Every structure is written in structure tokens, then in C-alpha cells.
Amino acid sequence: MDFDAVLLLSFGGPEGPEQVRPFLENVTRGRNVPPERLDDVAEHYLHFGGVSPINGINRALIAQLEAELRNRGSDLPVYFGNRNWEPYVEDAVKAMRDNGVRRAAVFTTSAWSGYSSCTQYSEDIARARAAAGPDAPELVKLRPYFDHPRFVRIFADTLGAASGALTAEQQAGARLVFTAHSIPVAADERVGPRLYSRQVAYAASLVAAAAGYTEYDLAWQSRSGPPQVPWLEPDVADHLTTLTAAGTKSVIICPVGFVADHIEVVWDLDTELAAQAEAAGVALVRASTPNAHPRFAQLAADLIDELREGRAPERVTGPDPVPGCLASVNGAACCPPHCVARADG
């Protein structure tokens, strides 16, 4: 399968204080989120000057990907589009159409299957193509990559670097805790049986093994729904309280569910959780996410080459494989039964 462009598709984020509230209204449109809740979340962004790190990280990743593609003998242009803020994916696809692009590979900044992390990006693709009209390019969404060797290795290495910031005594007693974005339990059942949460747990097991850990915990963060709606648990703050009560004095956090150090990482973990740990006398360190690491760009190029060259997906296999969607074309729903890569382990 040949491509003449690449689209990096992401969530989006504000790049100035005046953009924060409109951005949050875009994110929550149709969800009946109370204005006071938006005010609370807005403060997280305003704490950092109203600028989310995510767009800057993505632009740096695009530069890395363009360089990696050139290293592989390809001069594919890389376009940038977001779901919730400028540059919008609709504008990116229209620009691709105007520039004569006929088929593009779509790399999303989410490693997972499931609705919010996969299917919704396919819906973004379909909406953008409809906005571009009958001459819209064909868009091929690359597969989820939670078990790609480079994904696992990046986190294993950053986990090791984080551990190295602790003293030898702290390392000896440190508890490793993986985190990912919590979602409602009902949403976790929406596309496949617990597809998202099982993939996160599987990836955590792969990273832990690669980093030499046999014991670890999985917690969830950044929930935003009403308390009466069940979400994936335990919450990482509650889990830290439990660890502290049990006498744990040092914790290594690995946000395996995120590919960039955006607001939900730098606020929820580096600000709120760090303050909680300091107050409890716990040494807390955090592993970095892939961000714009050259190996993350290499991962994206690998996924493109899989389709261009007809190669089998490259995966790290563990003792309990989980379902995953190989690809979704032109906005078709990700991970329907016919798109499951393999059966339950």
C-alpha cells in the first residue's frame, strides 16, 4: 500500500490563556459538564500560563518523523491535525486535498484500542473527509501500538532513568505504579470486553518485564465524571494513600497510558500527586513519556512501513495476548469483530 503523505492526528490543546475556556468547551460539548467543573480544569492550564505542552510536543515529533522518513528514503510530507483545537483535522485534510494528496497514513497519539482511544479518532477521520468533500484523500489509520517493541523499550528506559533519581536505599524499597487515563466502566465495555483496560494492563506487564520488575501496581488517573458513575479504579491518589499507610517510602510512577507529557501528566502527577507524596514523606519520581523521542518517530515510521511493505505487525508478546485492531480505513469503526488481530489469550 503506497502513501503520499502522513497525518499526525491528536487531541489538541490551548496555546494561550484566552484559548483555555473555548478549548474546554470544545472538549466537553454535548456532555452537560457544569461550568464550575470547566472553571476547575481551566485552572490547571492557567497554572502553566494557559499553554498545553501537547501541540509543541507534537510539532517536535513531526520534525523527528520527517527526518526519520528521509533516513528511510522517503520524502512524505507530515500534516498535523487535532480533534479539539487548532490546527483542526478538518483543515489539515482540506490542505492535503488541495495539495493533491490521494492517500495518507494516519498516526494517532494514542496507543490503544477502545472507543475514546481508537474509534473516536476514526470518527475524526470520517468527519474530516466529509468536510473535504468528494476529492478528500483516502486516510488509513495505523494500528494501535501498545505492544510495539519501541513503545515498550522507551518506557522501560525512562522507567530506569526515573529509578536512577532515587538513592540506593529508596530504590530498594520503591513501589512501581503504572498509570493510565481512567474512563467510565461502561465505556471500557463499549468496544470489546474491557479492551482498553486489558491492553493497558498488558502493556504494563511488558514494560515491567523489560525493565526487570516482577512486582508492580496499576492505577488510574484524571477521572472527571460524577461520583455516582463507576470509573476504572483504583485512582492513583487513593492508591498512593494506601501505599503510604502500608509504610511505602518511595514510589516510581510510570504513565504508560500516555504518549506525551501533557497537562494530565504534568498537573495530575507532577503537581497534585507530587504534593501529596511530599506531604506524606514519600519520595516520588516519574518516568517520562515518549514525547518527541526519536524512537517514537521510528515507531510511527515502522507502522507505515508495515503497510507499505505488507509486513506482519511487529509486537512484543507476553503470556496473555489481548485483542487489538490492526488498522481502520477511511473512518471505519476501529476494532469491530472482523478487525480483531487475535483472540483472547
PDB file of all heavy atoms in Angstrom, residues 11 42 83 102 111 114 123 130 143-144 152 154-155 159 161 183 186 233 248 252 256 260 273 287 299 302 309 322 327:
ATOM      1  N   PHE A  11      -5.157  15.162  20.025  1.00  0.00           N
ATOM      2  CA  PHE A  11      -6.282  15.667  20.808  1.00  0.00           C
ATOM      3  C   PHE A  11      -6.396  17.186  20.738  1.00  0.00           C
ATOM      4  O   PHE A  11      -7.482  17.740  20.658  1.00  0.00           O
ATOM      5  CB  PHE A  11      -6.100  15.217  22.260  1.00  0.00           C
ATOM      6  CG  PHE A  11      -7.281  15.463  23.148  1.00  0.00           C
ATOM      7  CD1 PHE A  11      -8.338  14.572  23.173  1.00  0.00           C
ATOM      8  CD2 PHE A  11      -7.330  16.569  23.982  1.00  0.00           C
ATOM      9  CE1 PHE A  11      -9.438  14.784  24.013  1.00  0.00           C
ATOM     10  CE2 PHE A  11      -8.405  16.786  24.811  1.00  0.00           C
ATOM     11  CZ  PHE A  11      -9.459  15.894  24.825  1.00  0.00           C
ATOM     12  N   ALA A  42      -9.848  24.591  33.981  1.00  0.00           N
ATOM     13  CA  ALA A  42      -9.155  25.730  33.378  1.00  0.00           C
ATOM     14  C   ALA A  42      -7.987  26.173  34.241  1.00  0.00           C
ATOM     15  O   ALA A  42      -6.937  26.583  33.724  1.00  0.00           O
ATOM     16  CB  ALA A  42     -10.130  26.886  33.174  1.00  0.00           C
ATOM     17  N   ARG A  83      -8.315  17.129  17.090  1.00  0.00           N
ATOM     18  CA  ARG A  83      -9.760  16.983  17.268  1.00  0.00           C
ATOM     19  C   ARG A  83     -10.379  18.239  17.868  1.00  0.00           C
ATOM     20  O   ARG A  83     -11.446  18.686  17.433  1.00  0.00           O
ATOM     21  CB  ARG A  83     -10.059  15.794  18.179  1.00  0.00           C
ATOM     22  CG  ARG A  83     -11.554  15.614  18.504  1.00  0.00           C
ATOM     23  CD  ARG A  83     -11.744  14.522  19.541  1.00  0.00           C
ATOM     24  NE  ARG A  83     -11.169  13.271  19.058  1.00  0.00           N
ATOM     25  CZ  ARG A  83     -10.815  12.267  19.855  1.00  0.00           C
ATOM     26  NH1 ARG A  83     -10.926  12.380  21.168  1.00  0.00           N
ATOM     27  NH2 ARG A  83     -10.324  11.163  19.348  1.00  0.00           N
ATOM     28  N   ARG A 102      -3.450  11.882  -2.304  1.00  0.00           N
ATOM     29  CA  ARG A 102      -4.500  10.905  -2.626  1.00  0.00           C
ATOM     30  C   ARG A 102      -4.689   9.862  -1.522  1.00  0.00           C
ATOM     31  O   ARG A 102      -5.774   9.355  -1.322  1.00  0.00           O
ATOM     32  CB  ARG A 102      -4.162  10.175  -3.945  1.00  0.00           C
ATOM     33  CG  ARG A 102      -3.989  11.099  -5.128  1.00  0.00           C
ATOM     34  CD  ARG A 102      -5.101  12.144  -5.236  1.00  0.00           C
ATOM     35  NE  ARG A 102      -6.435  11.557  -5.241  1.00  0.00           N
ATOM     36  CZ  ARG A 102      -7.535  12.198  -4.914  1.00  0.00           C
ATOM     37  NH1 ARG A 102      -7.478  13.461  -4.509  1.00  0.00           N
ATOM     38  NH2 ARG A 102      -8.705  11.598  -4.963  1.00  0.00           N
ATOM     39  N   ALA A 111      -2.051   4.921  21.888  1.00  0.00           N
ATOM     40  CA  ALA A 111      -1.504   3.594  21.588  1.00  0.00           C
ATOM     41  C   ALA A 111      -2.554   2.496  21.634  1.00  0.00           C
ATOM     42  O   ALA A 111      -2.241   1.343  21.333  1.00  0.00           O
ATOM     43  CB  ALA A 111      -0.389   3.269  22.582  1.00  0.00           C
ATOM     44  N   GLY A 114     -10.228   0.569  21.732  1.00  0.00           N
ATOM     45  CA  GLY A 114     -11.286   1.119  22.566  1.00  0.00           C
ATOM     46  C   GLY A 114     -11.904   2.343  21.916  1.00  0.00           C
ATOM     47  O   GLY A 114     -11.427   2.838  20.892  1.00  0.00           O
ATOM     48  N   GLU A 123     -13.659   8.317  13.886  1.00  0.00           N
ATOM     49  CA  GLU A 123     -14.761   9.249  13.629  1.00  0.00           C
ATOM     50  C   GLU A 123     -14.229  10.621  13.217  1.00  0.00           C
ATOM     51  O   GLU A 123     -14.821  11.289  12.349  1.00  0.00           O
ATOM     52  CB  GLU A 123     -15.633   9.358  14.878  1.00  0.00           C
ATOM     53  CG  GLU A 123     -16.375   8.072  15.198  1.00  0.00           C
ATOM     54  CD  GLU A 123     -17.107   8.119  16.529  1.00  0.00           C
ATOM     55  OE1 GLU A 123     -16.923   9.109  17.280  1.00  0.00           O
ATOM     56  OE2 GLU A 123     -17.867   7.176  16.824  1.00  0.00           O
ATOM     57  N   ALA A 130     -15.404  14.062   5.183  1.00  0.00           N
ATOM     58  CA  ALA A 130     -16.683  14.606   4.732  1.00  0.00           C
ATOM     59  C   ALA A 130     -16.582  16.107   4.526  1.00  0.00           C
ATOM     60  O   ALA A 130     -17.134  16.653   3.557  1.00  0.00           O
ATOM     61  CB  ALA A 130     -17.770  14.275   5.755  1.00  0.00           C
ATOM     62  N   ARG A 143      -2.344   1.072  13.004  1.00  0.00           N
ATOM     63  CA  ARG A 143      -2.846   0.217  14.094  1.00  0.00           C
ATOM     64  C   ARG A 143      -2.441   0.735  15.470  1.00  0.00           C
ATOM     65  O   ARG A 143      -1.463   1.482  15.614  1.00  0.00           O
ATOM     66  CB  ARG A 143      -2.315  -1.198  13.915  1.00  0.00           C
ATOM     67  CG  ARG A 143      -0.796  -1.325  14.120  1.00  0.00           C
ATOM     68  CD  ARG A 143      -0.382  -2.777  14.046  1.00  0.00           C
ATOM     69  NE  ARG A 143       1.067  -2.956  14.129  1.00  0.00           N
ATOM     70  CZ  ARG A 143       1.734  -3.110  15.268  1.00  0.00           C
ATOM     71  NH1 ARG A 143       1.102  -3.060  16.423  1.00  0.00           N
ATOM     72  NH2 ARG A 143       3.048  -3.302  15.245  1.00  0.00           N
ATOM     73  N   PRO A 144      -3.168   0.313  16.520  1.00  0.00           N
ATOM     74  CA  PRO A 144      -2.710   0.574  17.886  1.00  0.00           C
ATOM     75  C   PRO A 144      -1.340  -0.060  18.107  1.00  0.00           C
ATOM     76  O   PRO A 144      -1.022  -1.099  17.534  1.00  0.00           O
ATOM     77  CB  PRO A 144      -3.780  -0.093  18.749  1.00  0.00           C
ATOM     78  CG  PRO A 144      -5.004  -0.098  17.883  1.00  0.00           C
ATOM     79  CD  PRO A 144      -4.496  -0.321  16.492  1.00  0.00           C
ATOM     80  N   VAL A 152       7.484  -0.294  24.114  1.00  0.00           N
ATOM     81  CA  VAL A 152       7.857  -0.966  25.362  1.00  0.00           C
ATOM     82  C   VAL A 152       9.248  -0.528  25.814  1.00  0.00           C
ATOM     83  O   VAL A 152       9.477  -0.224  26.987  1.00  0.00           O
ATOM     84  CB  VAL A 152       7.794  -2.496  25.176  1.00  0.00           C
ATOM     85  CG1 VAL A 152       8.334  -3.219  26.407  1.00  0.00           C
ATOM     86  CG2 VAL A 152       6.353  -2.935  24.897  1.00  0.00           C
ATOM     87  N   ILE A 154      10.982   2.241  25.070  1.00  0.00           N
ATOM     88  CA  ILE A 154      11.053   3.645  25.511  1.00  0.00           C
ATOM     89  C   ILE A 154      10.641   3.758  26.970  1.00  0.00           C
ATOM     90  O   ILE A 154      11.326   4.382  27.789  1.00  0.00           O
ATOM     91  CB  ILE A 154      10.166   4.543  24.628  1.00  0.00           C
ATOM     92  CG1 ILE A 154      10.766   4.693  23.231  1.00  0.00           C
ATOM     93  CG2 ILE A 154       9.998   5.927  25.265  1.00  0.00           C
ATOM     94  CD1 ILE A 154       9.830   5.382  22.239  1.00  0.00           C
ATOM     95  N   PHE A 155       9.510   3.147  27.313  1.00  0.00           N
ATOM     96  CA  PHE A 155       9.036   3.250  28.697  1.00  0.00           C
ATOM     97  C   PHE A 155       9.959   2.504  29.662  1.00  0.00           C
ATOM     98  O   PHE A 155      10.190   2.967  30.785  1.00  0.00           O
ATOM     99  CB  PHE A 155       7.605   2.743  28.823  1.00  0.00           C
ATOM    100  CG  PHE A 155       6.567   3.797  28.583  1.00  0.00           C
ATOM    101  CD1 PHE A 155       5.757   3.753  27.466  1.00  0.00           C
ATOM    102  CD2 PHE A 155       6.396   4.835  29.479  1.00  0.00           C
ATOM    103  CE1 PHE A 155       4.795   4.739  27.241  1.00  0.00           C
ATOM    104  CE2 PHE A 155       5.448   5.821  29.277  1.00  0.00           C
ATOM    105  CZ  PHE A 155       4.643   5.773  28.144  1.00  0.00           C
ATOM    106  N   LEU A 159      11.702   4.495  32.621  1.00  0.00           N
ATOM    107  CA  LEU A 159      11.456   3.988  33.972  1.00  0.00           C
ATOM    108  C   LEU A 159      12.788   3.799  34.703  1.00  0.00           C
ATOM    109  O   LEU A 159      12.942   4.166  35.875  1.00  0.00           O
ATOM    110  CB  LEU A 159      10.691   2.662  33.875  1.00  0.00           C
ATOM    111  CG  LEU A 159       9.950   2.109  35.095  1.00  0.00           C
ATOM    112  CD1 LEU A 159       8.970   1.038  34.638  1.00  0.00           C
ATOM    113  CD2 LEU A 159      10.899   1.539  36.112  1.00  0.00           C
ATOM    114  N   ALA A 161      15.562   5.389  34.088  1.00  0.00           N
ATOM    115  CA  ALA A 161      16.122   6.711  34.376  1.00  0.00           C
ATOM    116  C   ALA A 161      15.463   7.328  35.600  1.00  0.00           C
ATOM    117  O   ALA A 161      16.127   7.962  36.433  1.00  0.00           O
ATOM    118  CB  ALA A 161      15.951   7.624  33.164  1.00  0.00           C
ATOM    119  N   ILE A 183     -11.415   5.807  32.623  1.00  0.00           N
ATOM    120  CA  ILE A 183     -12.630   6.030  31.843  1.00  0.00           C
ATOM    121  C   ILE A 183     -13.781   5.348  32.568  1.00  0.00           C
ATOM    122  O   ILE A 183     -13.562   4.482  33.425  1.00  0.00           O
ATOM    123  CB  ILE A 183     -12.515   5.473  30.401  1.00  0.00           C
ATOM    124  CG1 ILE A 183     -12.273   3.956  30.419  1.00  0.00           C
ATOM    125  CG2 ILE A 183     -11.409   6.196  29.639  1.00  0.00           C
ATOM    126  CD1 ILE A 183     -12.308   3.324  29.031  1.00  0.00           C
ATOM    127  N   ALA A 186     -18.491   1.599  31.933  1.00  0.00           N
ATOM    128  CA  ALA A 186     -19.363   1.318  30.787  1.00  0.00           C
ATOM    129  C   ALA A 186     -18.653   1.613  29.472  1.00  0.00           C
ATOM    130  O   ALA A 186     -18.838   0.907  28.487  1.00  0.00           O
ATOM    131  CB  ALA A 186     -20.646   2.140  30.894  1.00  0.00           C
ATOM    132  N   GLU A 233     -10.752   1.879  38.526  1.00  0.00           N
ATOM    133  CA  GLU A 233     -10.100   2.145  39.801  1.00  0.00           C
ATOM    134  C   GLU A 233      -8.994   1.108  40.028  1.00  0.00           C
ATOM    135  O   GLU A 233      -8.969   0.077  39.361  1.00  0.00           O
ATOM    136  CB  GLU A 233     -11.126   2.077  40.944  1.00  0.00           C
ATOM    137  CG  GLU A 233     -12.182   3.165  40.883  1.00  0.00           C
ATOM    138  CD  GLU A 233     -13.187   3.078  42.021  1.00  0.00           C
ATOM    139  OE1 GLU A 233     -13.357   1.959  42.578  1.00  0.00           O
ATOM    140  OE2 GLU A 233     -13.790   4.102  42.367  1.00  0.00           O
ATOM    141  N   THR A 248       5.146   2.311  52.639  1.00  0.00           N
ATOM    142  CA  THR A 248       5.977   2.561  51.467  1.00  0.00           C
ATOM    143  C   THR A 248       6.599   3.953  51.549  1.00  0.00           C
ATOM    144  O   THR A 248       5.909   4.933  51.832  1.00  0.00           O
ATOM    145  CB  THR A 248       5.144   2.445  50.178  1.00  0.00           C
ATOM    146  OG1 THR A 248       4.599   1.129  50.095  1.00  0.00           O
ATOM    147  CG2 THR A 248       6.000   2.706  48.938  1.00  0.00           C
ATOM    148  N   ILE A 252       7.763   4.874  42.240  1.00  0.00           N
ATOM    149  CA  ILE A 252       8.099   5.221  40.861  1.00  0.00           C
ATOM    150  C   ILE A 252       6.807   5.176  40.054  1.00  0.00           C
ATOM    151  O   ILE A 252       6.141   4.140  39.999  1.00  0.00           O
ATOM    152  CB  ILE A 252       9.112   4.232  40.264  1.00  0.00           C
ATOM    153  CG1 ILE A 252      10.354   4.133  41.145  1.00  0.00           C
ATOM    154  CG2 ILE A 252       9.483   4.658  38.840  1.00  0.00           C
ATOM    155  CD1 ILE A 252      11.264   2.966  40.767  1.00  0.00           C
ATOM    156  N   VAL A 256       2.186   4.877  31.651  1.00  0.00           N
ATOM    157  CA  VAL A 256       2.242   4.087  30.423  1.00  0.00           C
ATOM    158  C   VAL A 256       1.067   4.378  29.494  1.00  0.00           C
ATOM    159  O   VAL A 256       1.139   4.126  28.290  1.00  0.00           O
ATOM    160  CB  VAL A 256       2.307   2.576  30.774  1.00  0.00           C
ATOM    161  CG1 VAL A 256       0.962   2.091  31.323  1.00  0.00           C
ATOM    162  CG2 VAL A 256       2.749   1.738  29.587  1.00  0.00           C
ATOM    163  N   ALA A 260       2.615  11.494  25.747  1.00  0.00           N
ATOM    164  CA  ALA A 260       3.210  12.827  25.862  1.00  0.00           C
ATOM    165  C   ALA A 260       2.993  13.369  27.262  1.00  0.00           C
ATOM    166  O   ALA A 260       2.008  13.043  27.931  1.00  0.00           O
ATOM    167  CB  ALA A 260       2.611  13.784  24.825  1.00  0.00           C
ATOM    168  N   LEU A 273      -0.131  14.923  42.581  1.00  0.00           N
ATOM    169  CA  LEU A 273       0.355  13.699  43.225  1.00  0.00           C
ATOM    170  C   LEU A 273       1.701  13.955  43.906  1.00  0.00           C
ATOM    171  O   LEU A 273       1.959  13.420  44.991  1.00  0.00           O
ATOM    172  CB  LEU A 273       0.479  12.571  42.205  1.00  0.00           C
ATOM    173  CG  LEU A 273       0.659  11.174  42.808  1.00  0.00           C
ATOM    174  CD1 LEU A 273      -0.640  10.723  43.475  1.00  0.00           C
ATOM    175  CD2 LEU A 273       1.089  10.158  41.758  1.00  0.00           C
ATOM    176  N   ALA A 287       8.528   8.445  35.489  1.00  0.00           N
ATOM    177  CA  ALA A 287       9.125   8.147  34.193  1.00  0.00           C
ATOM    178  C   ALA A 287       8.550   9.084  33.141  1.00  0.00           C
ATOM    179  O   ALA A 287       7.363   9.443  33.190  1.00  0.00           O
ATOM    180  CB  ALA A 287       8.846   6.697  33.809  1.00  0.00           C
ATOM    181  N   LEU A 299       9.013   4.448  15.614  1.00  0.00           N
ATOM    182  CA  LEU A 299       7.832   3.587  15.767  1.00  0.00           C
ATOM    183  C   LEU A 299       6.776   3.942  14.728  1.00  0.00           C
ATOM    184  O   LEU A 299       6.221   3.050  14.066  1.00  0.00           O
ATOM    185  CB  LEU A 299       7.281   3.733  17.187  1.00  0.00           C
ATOM    186  CG  LEU A 299       6.096   2.880  17.624  1.00  0.00           C
ATOM    187  CD1 LEU A 299       6.041   2.795  19.145  1.00  0.00           C
ATOM    188  CD2 LEU A 299       4.756   3.402  17.112  1.00  0.00           C
ATOM    189  N   ASP A 302       7.819   2.751  11.440  1.00  0.00           N
ATOM    190  CA  ASP A 302       7.675   1.298  11.365  1.00  0.00           C
ATOM    191  C   ASP A 302       6.251   0.914  10.983  1.00  0.00           C
ATOM    192  O   ASP A 302       6.031   0.006  10.158  1.00  0.00           O
ATOM    193  CB  ASP A 302       8.006   0.660  12.715  1.00  0.00           C
ATOM    194  CG  ASP A 302       9.484   0.689  13.057  1.00  0.00           C
ATOM    195  OD1 ASP A 302      10.306   0.952  12.159  1.00  0.00           O
ATOM    196  OD2 ASP A 302       9.806   0.446  14.240  1.00  0.00           O
ATOM    197  N   GLU A 309       4.979  -2.174   2.941  1.00  0.00           N
ATOM    198  CA  GLU A 309       5.730  -3.356   2.536  1.00  0.00           C
ATOM    199  C   GLU A 309       4.973  -4.654   2.779  1.00  0.00           C
ATOM    200  O   GLU A 309       5.487  -5.735   2.478  1.00  0.00           O
ATOM    201  CB  GLU A 309       7.068  -3.382   3.286  1.00  0.00           C
ATOM    202  CG  GLU A 309       7.925  -2.145   3.012  1.00  0.00           C
ATOM    203  CD  GLU A 309       9.150  -2.075   3.910  1.00  0.00           C
ATOM    204  OE1 GLU A 309       9.423  -3.071   4.619  1.00  0.00           O
ATOM    205  OE2 GLU A 309       9.823  -1.027   3.909  1.00  0.00           O
ATOM    206  N   VAL A 322      -3.707  -9.908  24.160  1.00  0.00           N
ATOM    207  CA  VAL A 322      -5.033  -9.305  24.199  1.00  0.00           C
ATOM    208  C   VAL A 322      -5.439  -8.875  22.808  1.00  0.00           C
ATOM    209  O   VAL A 322      -4.589  -8.698  21.933  1.00  0.00           O
ATOM    210  CB  VAL A 322      -5.064  -8.094  25.148  1.00  0.00           C
ATOM    211  CG1 VAL A 322      -4.728  -8.517  26.570  1.00  0.00           C
ATOM    212  CG2 VAL A 322      -4.104  -7.020  24.700  1.00  0.00           C
ATOM    213  N   ALA A 327      -5.793  -1.993  11.855  1.00  0.00           N
ATOM    214  CA  ALA A 327      -5.923  -0.731  11.128  1.00  0.00           C
ATOM    215  C   ALA A 327      -7.389  -0.457  10.864  1.00  0.00           C
ATOM    216  O   ALA A 327      -8.229  -1.329  10.942  1.00  0.00           O
ATOM    217  CB  ALA A 327      -5.159  -0.783   9.815  1.00  0.00           C
TER     218      ALA A 327
END
